[in-house]
Amino acid sequence: MPDRTAHWQTVYTTKTETEVSWHQDEPATSLRLIREAGAGPSSRIIDVGGGASRLVDALLTAGYGALTVLDISEAALAAARARLGAPAATVDWIAADVTRWRPQASYDVWHDRAALHFLTDAVDREAYVARLRSAVVPGGAVIIGTFALDGPEKCSGLPVVRYDAQSLAGTLGTGFVLQDNCTEAHRTPWGSVQKFQFCRFQAC
């Protein structure tokens, strides 16, 4: 199996945040789903696979104050911290592979845009779900964005698993109730369109 950490370190040390296909200036769908989950200023929110995403910037601007960003690439997190400047000190930054991570806190909102779909091995997906189950409080929100069934088959040179709402629910298993789902036509920095599937679940 390729070394995931080395792959993503290479990506984030050779490309700027606007040179990757998943870059968004405004993560509108993620923000809407977090807001509609009922998250408030003190809600504990973790962005899994957040990388150098600007979601953390937008959440800080919107008044959310208990934020964690987890990513396999320390270089990605360093880029986000540098971009934020002083406000970065208010965020908990975790450099870890989510399939091996041991959560040390609990969260009201688990957000993942474009991390789960890279886990093509069933063992890795099971490990991801195990961490999710241990990290999210009962009644908490789980928001996951993946490539849709008509989305790309690869990203960053790696194969992905594409999902619809039904198959994503099946991957999570029992204990999660689907609250909302939508598709998004994401336009890459160079103008191509990638179809994403977003789902919001409530943990039981």
Side-chain angles (χ1 to χ4, degrees):
M1 185 174 71
D3 184 332
R4 283 196 291 263
T5 302
H7 175 87
W8 293 110
Q9 279 289 95
T10 298
V11 168
Y12 283 105
T13 54
T14 59
K15 297 182 179 182
T16 68
E17 63 168 308
T18 58
E19 292 175 328
V20 295
S21 64
W22 51 91
H23 171 74
Q24 291 180 304
D25 287 327
E26 177 68 21
T29 300
S30 295
L31 288 171
R32 176 181 66 80
L33 291 171
I34 290 170
R35 183 175 62 251
E36 292 178 358
S42 62
S43 296
R44 294 158 297 175
I45 301 172
I46 183 168
D47 186 17
V48 174
S53 163
R54 296 190 180 188
L55 178 62
V56 65
D57 311 48
L59 290 171
L60 287 170
T61 298
Y64 296 97
L67 305 179
T68 298
V69 180
L70 180 148
D71 198 85
I72 197 168
S73 169
E74 175 57 49
L77 299 180
R81 288 195 298 266
R83 185 184 65 240
L84 282 171
T90 67
V91 177
D92 186 16
W93 305 92
I94 301 174
D97 181 334
V98 67
T99 67
R100 300 175 183 176
W101 170 57
R102 295 184 180 275
Q104 301 298 308
S106 57
Y107 301 95
D108 302 300
V109 178
W110 172 291
H111 174 272
D112 164 2
R113 175 182 178 267
L116 173 62
H117 68 199
F118 283 109
L119 302 181
T120 58
D121 187 289
V123 172
D124 285 336
R125 291 194 295 273
E126 290 167 5
Y128 174 103
V129 173
R131 273 69 181 174
L132 188 161
R133 288 183 181 276
S134 66
V136 178
V137 301
V142 177
I143 298 165
I144 299 177
T146 69
F147 282 144
L149 295 182
D150 56 350
E153 296 181 354
K154 287 188 173 183
C155 181
S156 190
L158 300 177
V160 299
V161 179
R162 298 179 294 178
Y163 293 90
D164 59 11
Q166 182 178 6
S167 58
L168 186 53
T171 296
L172 298 189
T174 58
F176 299 96
V177 178
L178 182 64
Q179 301 284 305
D180 190 10
N181 81 95
C182 64
T183 56
E184 178 186 74
H186 166 63
R187 189 169 294 277
T188 70
W190 42 89
S192 61
V193 174
Q194 298 176 333
K195 297 293 184 65
F196 274 78
Q197 170 71 54
F198 277 85
C199 293
R200 175 169 63 85
F201 300 87
Q202 184 176 53
C204 300

